[in-house]
Amino acid sequence: MKKSNLARLICMVLALTVLLTANVFAIGTDQVSVIYDPVSSITYDFNDGAVPGLFALPTSNNAKYGKMTFSEEVEGDRYLIFEDGNLNNKGQGRTDYSIQVCHAPMSIEYDFCIPEYTKTAAGDNIPAMILFITNYSSPGVKGTQGSGKTAMSLTCDKDENGDLKFSVVVSGAAIEGVFEDPLSFDTWYRVKIDAHAEKYQAVVSLYDSSGELIDKTGTITVANSTYSTDVTPDGFVGLSFATGSQTANVSAEEQSKIYIDNFTFTRERFSFSSKPAISQDGDEITASVVVRNEIAEETTAPALILALFDAKGKLVGISVNDSEPIAARTDPGLPTTTNVAWPNGFALPAEATVTCTLPKGDAATASAYLWTDVDTGMQPYCVVSDILTVSE
C-alpha cells in the first residue's frame, strides 16, 4: 500500500474510534447498512408506451381485478392510470407493482396524483398505495406475495371539508404528527419510501411538484400481528395500488383512481448479514464479515480493516483486505408480461467472506471496520465491530 494511503487510512481509523457510523436507519446496535454507494437508479417515465416488466398481477382475489392503462399523451408525456377493472368485484381492484428482490436498504420514488372521486361511505372507495415487505416463499414466480402482508398503506381519503387527506397507516392506525395539512385533488405530488426489508422498517417523505419537502415520518417499524420481525425475510418489497369500491355493482363514476409517473427504484450495491465479527485464537486476531453482492456483475468487496490499539489507545497494528472479489448475482431478468416466472429464476445475492488477521503484539483492544475502499471514498459501509479486549 502506498504511504500516502496508509497515512490516510490510519487517520480515518482513529477518527472512527471516536465517531459512530451514521445510519439512515440507526435505531439499534444491530443495524449494519448505510447508503453510500447505491446502484444507479432504475427509472421508468412511461413515455415509451410499454409496461415495464416489473409490473405483475398476483392471483389473489382482490389483486387480480386491478386495471392499469396509459393516459393519453399530452405534450410528449404520459402516465399510468390504476383503477378497478371489475365493477362487480367485492374487493378493492388492486394492481401490484413487484419490486426487485433486495436485502439491503432501498428507496422507491414516484409521482402520484389522485383525481377527485365520489366517496360512497365511510372508509369506502379510498385509493391507497400499499407497501409490502414479504418473504419470497415461491421462488421463480414473479409477483407472488408469499408470506408477506400489508406492511404500510398510504391512504388518500376525503376529510370533513372534502379535501385530500394523506395518511400513513400501519396496523390499521395512522401515524400521528405528520401530513396533517390536507393536499389537493388533481394535483401531482412525489412520494419517497425508504425501506429496509430485512428489518421491516420504512420512512415516508412527501414532496410537492417542485420538489420541496412537505413532511416526512420518522423510522417506522412496519411489522404487524400477521408476521414476526424475528423471521428474516428474503427481502422482497412490493407496491400495490388499490382503487375502487368495497361494494359490488357501483357505477363507473364512483371508482377512485391513482395516476403514477416517473417511478424510480434505487438499491444499495452491497448488503451485510451482520457487522464485522472479531475473534482471537492464541496470538492471532481475526476479523471477518460476510458481504453480499446485490448487483448483476462481478465486483470487489468493500475494504475490511482490522485495527489494534494498545492500552493508551495508540494504533499498534493495522491490516486491510480490499481486494476480495465477489461473483455477480445472477440477473433474474424482467418478465415481459404479468404472472410469469423470472426468466432466470429466483436469484439470491452472491456472497464472499472477507477476512483480516494480525498477530496481537502489544494490542490491548481490537476493532474492525468496513469502508468503501482505501483509495478514494473511504466511507463506512456498516457500523464498527464490537471492541475485542485482547487477552493477556
Side-chain angles (χ1 to χ4, degrees):
M1 182 186 298
K2 294 181 180 179
K3 289 184 178 180
S4 60
N5 285 338
L6 178 59
R8 186 180 182 193
L9 178 61
I10 291 172
C11 292
M12 291 296 289
V13 171
L14 292 173
L16 282 176
T17 62
V18 179
L19 300 175
L20 294 176
T21 300
N23 195 299
V24 70
F25 289 106
I27 63 170
T29 57
D30 65 336
Q31 181 61 51
V32 295
S33 292
V34 291
I35 300 178
Y36 278 120
D37 189 19
V39 174
S40 298
S41 301
I42 303 169
T43 303
Y44 300 102
D45 62 11
F46 311 125
N47 288 323
D48 59 2
V51 177
L54 287 175
F55 281 95
L57 295 177
T59 56
S60 61
N61 288 334
N62 64 339
K64 63 185 179 181
Y65 295 112
K67 181 181 179 182
M68 180 177 63
T69 58
F70 281 100
S71 68
E72 296 295 327
E73 185 172 346
V74 178
E75 296 182 352
D77 192 21
R78 62 193 307 170
Y79 51 86
L80 287 172
I81 301 174
F82 294 92
E83 59 187 316
D84 196 344
N86 185 336
L87 300 185
N88 294 319
N89 174 32
K90 292 187 177 182
Q92 289 179 312
R94 197 177 78 206
T95 301
D96 283 2
Y97 189 169
S98 301
I99 310 303
Q100 296 182 32
V101 176
C102 182
H103 290 71
M106 67 194 75
S107 67
I108 305 164
E109 297 182 65
Y110 56 90
D111 298 330
F112 74 95
C113 174
I114 306 297
E116 188 163 5
Y117 61 91
T118 301
K119 185 175 177 180
T120 55
D124 202 11
N125 202 28
I126 298 172
M129 296 161 281
I130 303 170
L131 176 75
F132 287 94
I133 295 180
T134 178
N135 184 321
Y136 205 98
S137 62
S138 300
V141 181
K142 182 66 176 174
T144 300
Q145 294 172 24
S147 63
K149 301 294 182 181
T150 298
M152 181 175 69
S153 295
L154 310 181
T155 63
C156 299
D157 199 357
K158 280 192 171 185
D159 65 15
E160 57 186 10
N161 297 318
D163 295 318
L164 177 60
K165 175 60 178 174
F166 181 84
S167 301
V168 179
V169 177
V170 178
S171 299
I175 302 296
E176 297 182 356
V178 291
F179 311 123
E180 294 182 342
D181 294 331
L183 305 181
S184 300
F185 288 102
D186 299 301
T187 302
W188 285 93
Y189 299 93
R190 187 163 184 83
V191 68
K192 180 181 181 183
I193 304 171
D194 292 298
H196 196 318
E198 285 192 325
K199 295 186 175 298
Y200 292 106
Q201 293 172 352
V203 174
V204 180
S205 304
L206 182 66
Y207 305 85
D208 64 20
S209 59
S210 68
E212 183 175 350
L213 179 67
I214 295 174
D215 205 353
K216 68 182 296 184
T217 68
T219 300
I220 304 168
T221 299
V222 296
N224 58 35
S225 60
T226 58
Y227 50 73
S228 170
T229 56
D230 295 331
V231 180
T232 301
D234 293 329
F236 180 74
V237 171
L239 277 180
S240 219
F241 300 98
T243 57
S245 176
Q246 298 277 357
T247 306
N249 301 316
V250 295
S251 68
E253 287 75 24
E254 293 175 336
Q255 299 302 295
S256 59
K257 298 179 181 180
I258 300 175
Y259 300 160
I260 298 294
D261 201 1
N262 300 319
F263 190 98
T264 303
F265 168 56
T266 305
R267 66 181 181 187
E268 197 174 352
R269 186 174 299 274
F270 298 106
S271 62
F272 311 94
S273 57
S274 64
K275 60 187 176 183
I278 191 166
S279 61
Q280 180 178 2
D281 184 7
D283 290 337
E284 298 290 322
I285 309 297
T286 299
S288 65
V289 64
V290 177
V291 180
R292 295 183 292 199
N293 180 17
E294 293 281 359
I295 63 176
E297 60 186 54
E298 184 177 307
T299 188
T300 300
L304 177 65
I305 304 159
L306 172 60
L308 307 184
F309 304 89
D310 66 14
K312 294 182 178 181
K314 178 182 177 182
L315 182 69
V316 294
I318 189 167
S319 177
V320 181
N321 185 332
D322 60 353
S323 59
E324 189 75 23
I326 308 180
R329 176 179 184 166
T330 302
D331 187 352
L334 298 179
T336 56
T337 185
T338 61
N339 287 327
V340 298
W342 292 85
N344 297 320
F346 178 63
L348 289 172
E351 291 187 353
T353 301
V354 182
T355 61
C356 285
T357 301
L358 280 175
K360 72 173 186 178
D362 297 328
T365 60
S367 298
Y369 311 84
L370 196 67
W371 288 345
T372 52
D373 58 62
V374 296
D375 295 320
T376 55
M378 296 182 68
Q379 295 173 305
Y381 245 121
C382 71
V383 296
V384 65
S385 70
D386 294 328
I387 296 176
L388 174 70
T389 300
V390 179
S391 60
E392 297 295 334

